[in-house]
Amino acid sequence: MAVIEEPLALPSGTTKARRPLGAFSRPRNATGLVDWLTTVDHKKIGIMYGMAAMFFFIIGGVAALLIRLQLAAPNSTILSADTYNRVFTMHGTIMVFLVVMPIGAAFANYLLPLQIGARDVAFPRINAFSFWVFLAGGLMLNSSWFLGGGANGGWFNYAPNNGAAFSPSTGIDFWNLGLFIAGIGSLSGAVNLITTVLNMRAPGMTLMRMPVFVWMTLVTQFLLLFAIPVLTAAQLLLLLDRQFGANFFNVTQGADPLLWQHLFWIFGHPEVYLMILPAFGIVSEVIPTFSRKPIFGYPFMVFSGIAIGFMGWGVWAHHMFVSGIGPLSVTAFSVATMFIAVPTGVKILNWLATMWGGKLILNTAMLFSIGLVTQFTIGGLSGVTHAVAPSDTQQTDTYYIVAHFHYVLFGGALFGFFAGLYFWWPKIFGYKLNEKIGKWNFWGMVLGFNLTFGPMHILGLQGMARRMQTYDVSMGFNLWNLVSTIGSFILGVTTLLLFVNAWKSYSEWKAAGRPNVGADPWDARTIEWSIQSPAPEHNFDVTPTVSDLDDFWHQKYAEDDEGKLRQVATGDELAQPGNGEGVHLPAPSYWPIVLAFSLPIVGYGLIYSLWFCIPGTLLTIISIYGWALEPADDLDIDDHGHGPDQEMEPAV
Amino acid sequence: MTDSITLDSTDTHGHSDHDDHAHPTEKQYWIVFVILAVITAVEIAWSYMGLEGPALVVPLIIMMVVKFLMIAGVFMHLSFDSKMPNGRTFYLCFGAAMVLAILVFLVVLAAFEFQI
Amino acid sequence: MTAIPVEDAVEVADDHGSDHHDDGHHTSLGLSNMKLAMWLFLGSECLLFGALISTYLLSKARFLTEVLAGNPEVLGTLPANLIEEFQAEGSVEPLFDIPFTSASSFILLMSSVTMVFAHQAISKNDQRNTRLWLATTAALGSVFIAGQVYEFTTFYNEGLRFDGNLLGSALYTLTGFHGVHVTVGIIMLLSLLVLAFRGKLNQDRAETLELVGLYWHFVDVVWVLIFTIVYLIP
Ligand code: HEM
Ligand SMILES: [Cu+2]
């Protein structure tokens, strides 16, 4: 490799832009808003994922409360039947695609590089693009509220109801294109994060020394990588049907609408697992930390996760037991579904065994983790009951199913995410969340959650169909619906305590003069706790060398002569000081956000007028070339004041 | 899979795709191309033989798979790349996708075709 | 004075955009990030094409069933002579011009070899041949696309409409989607060619070319599947 020598700064003090391909330069010294819009820092991107997800969470939550309000009493007319359809469809779609998935992505982005000892992800600009394109898709989807109403075909949007003949309003177009665009982000994110995990690990961080969270995220990203394209294909067919008059789901031409169901659920079942696995990863970090014990059966934890990843591909037709697929399919998928409960059960047993005999510290993060273990078990068990096809025939499309997937998704995934927030908050923001409000937050949510969704089991078994706008007094559903609605408002209010907590803890911390929370406030196990809090921009001063699972723990604790475990150092003693001298970071870029927001322009064009597609496509092309032609890295940016003769560290 | 990619980063320092192993020569590429061309010719001829059912389809599928493997193995360097340390990662990732796609969609088609 | 490895500073983030200048050094597996990412991306493309090919097979089967059963809704979308041929053969084979498609398949296959030669040339820093083979590959790809345009025109003139029936929708979608992939490949090749003529495509950027090559071969391989499954097997 050739070596050039040239001064970094011109005498005037202006820096000389390096434009290798004669094109654009990178944003530099950006501050404030521009800094956030052009950042490629995985930590900021992670935070933005989290904030965007919380924003959508509020929209989805309001929709949920509207549904419960409508169902609180029989023959209610708060929402018309049409509005009701739109509200529950948008609620489900938002919660799945714009809340649970991006919160998983938020944790993955923030934590993966820190937990494997990397400077950043493999492709920082693609990372920024993944976030912005998710946001662009999400905003496009939600713009339908103001542009003729949201989608109304249910979150799985079955054919032929999703065709122009039965759903002429544009809601489904927004559903289709918004999720199509957001899907691009999931796909590019998956490629990026898999490459990161496989290729960017610190020395000594072998696969079997990776934290369980990293493993679960790796499996999650593989599921995304292979599942999203199937949804994309289905959405392409729907797009061509709705916008260009194709006949893929046109029954009068002999089309088979079951094709949509197959494609959707081939995507859909891996999807449900990729929603829960990040939460499984989170509690697998929290529970050992607060049980003061290593995770029980680490290899089983890892391999059961991988097994779930594989088996998740062979069970999709359990969503189609009553659709008329043949008896052999029903039998095979029924058996396969029962088997998938096995690796899931292995995980639950491992968490219990980790807690067994441990010195449990029941703080909020731990409580939320235990909440996940308990409530997910209930949801998993009801899942097994609908793996039994004859029993599912009774349950499907009733509130029993609604109870099931809320127990796994809210009681499972979201409780896990709350555990993660309480656990990593000090690492991310530099202060702990208030434990007292935290306990209220947890117990309130447990109460509200079980009041809301517990009764739905009963309602479902009594025969209350899901997705019905209302019910009659004579049906006998009144009591449990009222209980459920009361529960949902308790749940809504207590969920908001998280925000209250964040705000209050921050003010108190600020009032106290921003005391340092320390690198390792929980006496935790993995290497992200070996750097300062909040995590410095450059992550690690020196790339750590790893020699154990739970490496940081092993640095802190060792056996003495009598074989007793003794603390040999505290986390703060071992922590890296957070001095970024000499570290060169990837430079920010304008193009990811420009490219991302050029796509909805094409999307709106497909809905309203193909003419719009022209500027949209042009902007897409310009930004791709802008991206390719800007310097891959701007070495002129002097992030951390390294002296001119210090060696550059590769920004990997 | 795991044992092939659990190496420490230090173990593989300095490896790069280009200098460590020989890619095939120009001549070998031509040979592969000629074989591919011949298979294609046979495929077309076979489809004109007036055969029906499995006698027609099975050989066509076999020839298709052979072509696929040759292009992926030689032109896309999979068979050479997999000889370098951890090089099997490439075909494991791609192969997993391929196998998954084939299995899943065969099940879908079977479900439709036989109404089972 | 800073010693900056110049190639690191100017590494192009090629069309797939890496921010990192690695060709396998410094990574945990000793493999290039970009190449790994490319293979992962191609893996996900398998699922996409798998879905579309299955959609075609299903749609074609359903279409034929309806044609053979004489469903007036379907028959109304086709000219009488095509219907008769389809019914007589019991397949949609009469629509295809196998010799023509064979020729264009052969051209696409050919372009894979020329792509390989472009990669070989750049590995030896043979600028002249790099340009030559890149240009040849792009040209062959364009001939293939031209063939597809011609083929679509023929289908259209024979009376097969995209919005007419299942066969039209599925056939145009699958082959057209593949055609879009080829077109994207051609654009990438031409971009590389421009870089080459401006003297910016040197040996250190061989990997960029290799990645475009991987994509190109993949598109070729998909055509191998489509050719057999769509055109040859009735
Ligand atoms: C023990 C493991 C599980 C089993 C055996 C299981 C089984 C099932 C079955 C058979 C259905 C279809 C019921 C029907 O529609 O008639 C279903 C629906 C569903 N499951 Fe699960 N499940 C499990 C875990 C999960 C997890 C982990 C999630 C998500 C985090 C999840 C989310 C869902 C959702 C969202 C639906 C409803 C889809 C819809 O119809 O809208 N399940 N489950
Ligand atoms: Cu499922």
Side-chain angles (χ1 to χ4, degrees), chain C residues 7-50:
Chain C
E7 279 317 311
D8 283 4
V10 299
E11 170 79 38
V12 204
D14 79 312
D15 310 69
H16 301 280
S18 157
D19 290 330
H20 290 310
H21 30 75
D22 64 81
D23 52 355
H25 308 274
H26 310 298
T27 64
S28 315
L29 296 179
L31 304 172
S32 141
N33 276 345
M34 296 277 279
K35 211 163 151 182
L36 186 53
M38 185 47 128
W39 276 111
L40 291 168
F41 169 71
L42 294 182
S44 84
E45 290 267 286
C46 290
L47 275 291
L48 193 63
F49 276 106

Coordinates of all heavy atoms in Angstrom, one line a residue, chain C residues 7-50:
Chain C
E7 N -4.6 4.0 0.0 CA -5.7 3.2 -0.5 C -6.8 3.1 0.6 O -8.0 3.0 0.2 CB -5.2 1.8 -0.8 CG -4.6 1.8 -2.2 CD -5.4 2.6 -3.2 OE1 -6.6 2.5 -3.3 OE2 -4.8 3.5 -3.9
D8 N -6.4 3.2 1.8 CA -7.4 3.1 2.8 C -8.3 4.4 2.7 O -9.5 4.4 2.9 CB -6.8 3.0 4.2 CG -6.3 1.6 4.5 OD1 -6.4 0.8 3.6 OD2 -5.9 1.4 5.6
A9 N -7.6 5.5 2.5 CA -8.3 6.8 2.5 C -9.2 6.9 1.4 O -10.2 7.5 1.4 CB -7.3 7.9 2.5
V10 N -8.9 6.2 0.3 CA -9.7 6.4 -0.9 C -10.6 5.2 -1.3 O -11.2 5.2 -2.3 CB -8.9 6.8 -2.1 CG1 -8.1 8.1 -1.9 CG2 -7.9 5.7 -2.5
E11 N -10.5 4.2 -0.4 CA -11.4 3.1 -0.7 C -12.8 3.5 -1.1 O -13.4 4.2 -0.4 CB -11.4 2.2 0.5 CG -12.4 1.0 0.4 CD -11.9 -0.1 -0.4 OE1 -10.7 -0.4 -0.3 OE2 -12.7 -0.7 -1.2
V12 N -13.2 3.1 -2.3 CA -14.6 3.5 -2.6 C -15.5 2.6 -1.8 O -15.4 1.4 -1.8 CB -14.9 3.1 -4.1 CG1 -16.0 4.0 -4.6 CG2 -13.7 3.0 -4.9
A13 N -16.5 3.2 -1.3 CA -17.6 2.4 -0.9 C -18.3 2.1 -2.2 O -18.9 2.9 -2.8 CB -18.5 3.2 0.0
D14 N -18.2 0.9 -2.6 CA -18.8 0.6 -3.9 C -20.3 0.6 -3.8 O -20.9 1.0 -2.8 CB -18.3 -0.8 -4.4 CG -19.1 -1.8 -3.8 OD1 -19.2 -1.8 -2.5 OD2 -19.6 -2.7 -4.4
D15 N -21.0 0.0 -4.7 CA -22.4 0.2 -4.8 C -23.1 -0.4 -3.5 O -24.3 -0.1 -3.3 CB -23.0 -0.5 -6.0 CG -22.2 -0.1 -7.2 OD1 -21.0 -0.5 -7.3 OD2 -22.8 0.6 -8.1
H16 N -22.4 -1.2 -2.8 CA -23.1 -1.7 -1.7 C -22.6 -1.1 -0.4 O -23.0 -1.4 0.7 CB -22.9 -3.2 -1.6 CG -23.4 -3.9 -2.8 ND1 -24.8 -4.1 -3.0 CD2 -22.8 -4.2 -4.0 CE1 -25.0 -4.6 -4.2 NE2 -23.8 -4.7 -4.8
G17 N -21.7 -0.2 -0.6 CA -21.4 0.7 0.5 C -20.8 0.2 1.8 O -21.5 -0.1 2.8
S18 N -19.5 -0.1 1.8 CA -18.9 -0.4 3.0 C -18.2 0.9 3.5 O -17.8 1.7 2.7 CB -17.8 -1.4 2.8 OG -16.9 -1.3 3.9
D19 N -18.1 1.0 4.8 CA -17.4 2.1 5.3 C -16.0 1.7 5.7 O -15.2 2.4 6.2 CB -18.1 2.7 6.5 CG -19.4 3.3 6.0 OD1 -19.4 3.8 4.9 OD2 -20.3 3.3 6.8
H20 N -15.7 0.4 5.4 CA -14.4 -0.1 5.9 C -13.5 -0.6 4.8 O -14.0 -1.1 3.9 CB -14.7 -1.1 7.0 CG -15.2 -0.5 8.2 ND1 -14.7 0.6 8.7 CD2 -16.4 -0.7 8.9 CE1 -15.4 1.0 9.8 NE2 -16.4 0.2 9.9
H21 N -12.3 -0.3 5.1 CA -11.3 -0.7 4.2 C -10.7 -2.0 4.6 O -9.7 -2.0 5.3 CB -10.3 0.4 4.1 CG -10.1 1.1 5.4 ND1 -9.5 0.6 6.5 CD2 -10.6 2.3 5.8 CE1 -9.6 1.4 7.5 NE2 -10.3 2.5 7.1
D22 N -11.3 -3.1 4.4 CA -10.7 -4.3 4.8 C -10.8 -5.2 3.6 O -11.8 -5.3 3.0 CB -11.4 -4.9 6.0 CG -12.8 -5.3 5.7 OD1 -12.9 -6.4 5.1 OD2 -13.7 -4.5 6.0
D23 N -9.8 -6.0 3.4 CA -10.0 -7.1 2.5 C -9.8 -8.4 3.2 O -9.2 -9.3 2.7 CB -9.1 -6.9 1.2 CG -7.7 -6.7 1.7 OD1 -7.4 -6.6 2.9 OD2 -6.8 -6.7 0.8
G24 N -10.2 -8.4 4.4 CA -10.0 -9.6 5.1 C -9.1 -9.5 6.3 O -9.1 -10.3 7.2
H25 N -8.2 -8.5 6.3 CA -7.4 -8.3 7.4 C -8.2 -7.8 8.6 O -9.2 -7.2 8.4 CB -6.3 -7.2 7.1 CG -5.6 -7.5 5.8 ND1 -4.5 -8.3 5.8 CD2 -5.8 -7.1 4.6 CE1 -4.1 -8.4 4.5 NE2 -4.9 -7.7 3.8
H26 N -7.8 -8.0 9.8 CA -8.4 -7.5 10.9 C -9.8 -8.0 11.2 O -10.5 -7.5 12.1 CB -8.5 -6.0 10.9 CG -7.3 -5.3 10.5 ND1 -6.2 -5.4 11.3 CD2 -7.0 -4.5 9.4 CE1 -5.2 -4.7 10.7 NE2 -5.7 -4.2 9.6
T27 N -10.3 -9.0 10.5 CA -11.7 -9.4 10.8 C -11.6 -10.8 11.6 O -10.6 -11.5 11.4 CB -12.5 -9.6 9.6 OG1 -12.0 -10.6 8.8 CG2 -12.6 -8.3 8.8
S28 N -12.6 -11.1 12.3 CA -12.5 -12.3 13.2 C -12.4 -13.5 12.3 O -11.7 -14.5 12.8 CB -13.8 -12.4 14.0 OG -14.2 -11.2 14.6
L29 N -13.0 -13.6 11.2 CA -13.0 -14.8 10.4 C -11.9 -14.8 9.4 O -11.6 -15.7 8.7 CB -14.3 -15.1 9.7 CG -15.5 -15.3 10.6 CD1 -16.8 -15.5 9.8 CD2 -15.3 -16.5 11.5
G30 N -11.2 -13.6 9.3 CA -10.2 -13.5 8.2 C -10.9 -13.3 6.8 O -10.2 -13.4 5.8
L31 N -12.2 -13.1 6.8 CA -12.9 -13.0 5.6 C -13.3 -11.5 5.4 O -13.4 -10.8 6.4 CB -14.2 -13.8 5.5 CG -14.0 -15.3 5.8 CD1 -15.4 -15.9 6.0 CD2 -13.2 -16.0 4.7
S32 N -13.4 -11.1 4.2 CA -13.8 -9.7 4.0 C -15.2 -9.5 4.4 O -16.1 -10.2 4.1 CB -13.6 -9.4 2.5 OG -14.7 -8.6 2.0
N33 N -15.5 -8.3 5.1 CA -16.8 -8.0 5.5 C -17.7 -7.9 4.3 O -18.9 -8.3 4.3 CB -16.8 -6.6 6.2 CG -16.4 -6.7 7.6 OD1 -16.5 -7.8 8.2 ND2 -16.1 -5.6 8.2
M34 N -17.2 -7.2 3.3 CA -18.1 -6.9 2.1 C -18.5 -8.2 1.4 O -19.6 -8.3 1.0 CB -17.3 -6.1 1.1 CG -16.9 -4.8 1.6 SD -18.3 -3.7 1.4 CE -18.0 -3.3 -0.3
K35 N -17.6 -9.1 1.4 CA -17.9 -10.4 0.7 C -18.9 -11.2 1.5 O -19.8 -11.8 0.9 CB -16.6 -11.2 0.4 CG -16.6 -12.0 -0.8 CD -15.2 -12.4 -1.2 CE -15.2 -13.7 -1.9 NZ -13.9 -14.1 -2.2
L36 N -18.7 -11.2 2.8 CA -19.6 -11.9 3.6 C -21.0 -11.3 3.5 O -22.0 -12.0 3.3 CB -19.1 -11.8 5.1 CG -19.9 -12.6 6.1 CD1 -20.0 -14.1 5.7 CD2 -19.2 -12.5 7.5
A37 N -21.0 -10.0 3.5 CA -22.3 -9.3 3.4 C -23.0 -9.6 2.1 O -24.2 -9.8 2.0 CB -22.1 -7.8 3.5
M38 N -22.2 -9.7 1.0 CA -22.7 -10.0 -0.3 C -23.3 -11.3 -0.3 O -24.5 -11.5 -0.8 CB -21.6 -9.8 -1.4 CG -22.1 -10.0 -2.8 SD -23.6 -9.0 -3.1 CE -23.2 -8.2 -4.5
W39 N -22.7 -12.3 0.3 CA -23.2 -13.7 0.3 C -24.5 -13.7 1.1 O -25.4 -14.4 0.7 CB -22.2 -14.7 0.8 CG -21.2 -15.1 -0.3 CD1 -19.9 -14.8 -0.4 CD2 -21.6 -15.9 -1.4 NE1 -19.4 -15.4 -1.5 CE2 -20.4 -16.1 -2.2 CE3 -22.7 -16.6 -1.9 CZ2 -20.3 -16.9 -3.3 CZ3 -22.7 -17.3 -3.0 CH2 -21.5 -17.4 -3.7
L40 N -24.5 -13.0 2.2 CA -25.7 -13.0 3.0 C -26.9 -12.4 2.2 O -28.0 -12.9 2.2 CB -25.5 -12.2 4.3 CG -24.6 -12.8 5.3 CD1 -24.2 -11.8 6.4 CD2 -25.2 -14.0 5.9
F41 N -26.6 -11.3 1.5 CA -27.6 -10.7 0.7 C -28.1 -11.6 -0.4 O -29.3 -11.8 -0.6 CB -27.1 -9.4 0.0 CG -27.9 -8.8 -1.0 CD1 -29.1 -8.2 -0.7 CD2 -27.5 -8.9 -2.4 CE1 -29.9 -7.7 -1.7 CE2 -28.3 -8.4 -3.4 CZ -29.5 -7.8 -3.0
L42 N -27.2 -12.3 -1.1 CA -27.6 -13.3 -2.1 C -28.4 -14.4 -1.5 O -29.4 -14.9 -2.1 CB -26.4 -13.9 -2.8 CG -25.5 -12.8 -3.6 CD1 -24.4 -13.5 -4.3 CD2 -26.4 -12.1 -4.6
G43 N -28.1 -14.8 -0.2 CA -28.9 -15.8 0.4 C -30.3 -15.3 0.6 O -31.3 -16.1 0.3
S44 N -30.5 -14.1 0.9 CA -31.9 -13.6 1.1 C -32.6 -13.5 -0.3 O -33.8 -13.7 -0.4 CB -31.9 -12.3 1.9 OG -31.7 -11.2 1.0
E45 N -31.8 -13.2 -1.3 CA -32.4 -13.2 -2.6 C -33.0 -14.6 -3.1 O -33.9 -14.7 -3.8 CB -31.4 -12.7 -3.7 CG -31.0 -11.3 -3.5 CD -31.8 -10.4 -4.5 OE1 -31.6 -10.4 -5.7 OE2 -32.7 -9.7 -3.9
C46 N -32.3 -15.6 -2.5 CA -32.8 -17.0 -2.9 C -34.3 -17.1 -2.4 O -35.1 -17.7 -3.1 CB -32.0 -18.1 -2.1 SG -30.3 -18.2 -2.7
L47 N -34.5 -16.6 -1.2 CA -35.9 -16.7 -0.7 C -36.9 -15.9 -1.6 O -38.0 -16.3 -1.8 CB -36.0 -16.3 0.7 CG -35.6 -17.2 1.9 CD1 -36.7 -18.3 2.0 CD2 -34.3 -17.9 1.7
L48 N -36.4 -14.8 -2.0 CA -37.3 -13.9 -2.8 C -37.6 -14.6 -4.1 O -38.8 -14.7 -4.5 CB -36.5 -12.6 -3.1 CG -37.3 -11.4 -3.6 CD1 -38.4 -11.0 -2.6 CD2 -36.4 -10.2 -3.9
F49 N -36.6 -15.1 -4.8 CA -36.8 -15.7 -6.1 C -37.6 -17.0 -5.9 O -38.4 -17.4 -6.7 CB -35.5 -15.9 -6.9 CG -35.1 -14.7 -7.6 CD1 -34.1 -13.9 -7.2 CD2 -35.8 -14.4 -8.8 CE1 -33.7 -12.8 -7.9 CE2 -35.4 -13.3 -9.5 CZ -34.4 -12.5 -9.1
G50 N -37.3 -17.7 -4.8 CA -38.0 -18.9 -4.5 C -39.5 -18.7 -4.4 O -40.3 -19.4 -5.0

